[in-house]
């Protein structure tokens, strides 16, 4: 199930963003939870941060940013990452297909 991220997703998304194999591809350096929390809250404000759940657990995250004006038919997919517990399961392809 895909849905917009909420403050309750912080811990799961912290694990995704700070995972050593994911972090080099994300926008933030590895940091403590207290440092990441204000950044996470900023990421929630535009409403373009999504999570993908499997059996009620956050399994993936991405940003879906819709363009405007002449490019309103285009959406930018960014910060796409799979939770470490779900890697290698084919979930990335499933999320993109859904």
């Amino acid at each position: 199930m895909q849905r917009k991220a909420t403050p309750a997703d912080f811990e799961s998304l912290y694990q995704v963003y700070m995972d050593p194999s994911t972090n080099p591809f994300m926008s933030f350096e590895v940091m403590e939870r207290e440092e990441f929390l204000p950044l996470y809250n900023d990421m929630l404000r535009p409403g373009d941060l999504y999570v993908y759940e499997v059996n009620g657990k956050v399994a993936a995250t991405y940003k879906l940013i819709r363009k405007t004006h002449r490019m309103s038919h285009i959406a930018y997919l960014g910060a796409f990452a799979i939770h470490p517990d779900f890697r290698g399961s084919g979930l990335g392809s499933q999320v993109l297909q859904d």
Side-chain angles (χ1 to χ4, degrees):
M1 175 182 89
Q2 298 180 61
R3 61 172 176 78
K4 289 188 177 189
T6 69
D9 297 315
F10 173 77
E11 187 58 38
S12 294
L13 294 185
Y14 178 80
Q15 291 175 18
V16 172
Y17 273 82
M18 300 305 146
D19 182 77
S21 60
T22 303
N23 183 265
F25 303 100
M26 305 311 270
S27 300
F28 307 105
E29 298 297 328
V30 173
M31 62 185 76
E32 296 297 321
R33 284 170 175 76
E34 299 78 28
E35 295 173 277
F36 187 62
L37 183 57
L39 300 173
Y40 179 73
N41 288 331
D42 286 344
M43 290 174 17
L44 289 177
R45 280 192 193 99
D48 57 12
L49 183 64
Y50 289 81
V51 295
Y52 189 93
E53 291 182 324
V54 173
N55 298 325
K57 184 174 179 180
V58 172
T61 185
Y62 58 90
K63 291 188 82 146
L64 187 62
I65 303 167
R66 297 195 183 278
K67 299 292 184 177
T68 59
H69 307 294
R70 290 178 64 186
M71 298 190 311
S72 63
H73 62 287
I74 297 172
Y76 166 77
L77 177 66
F80 182 66
I82 304 297
H83 191 285
D85 293 347
F86 292 89
R87 290 205 190 114
S89 67
L91 183 67
S93 295
Q94 182 180 339
V95 171
L96 292 173
Q97 185 175 2
D98 287 352

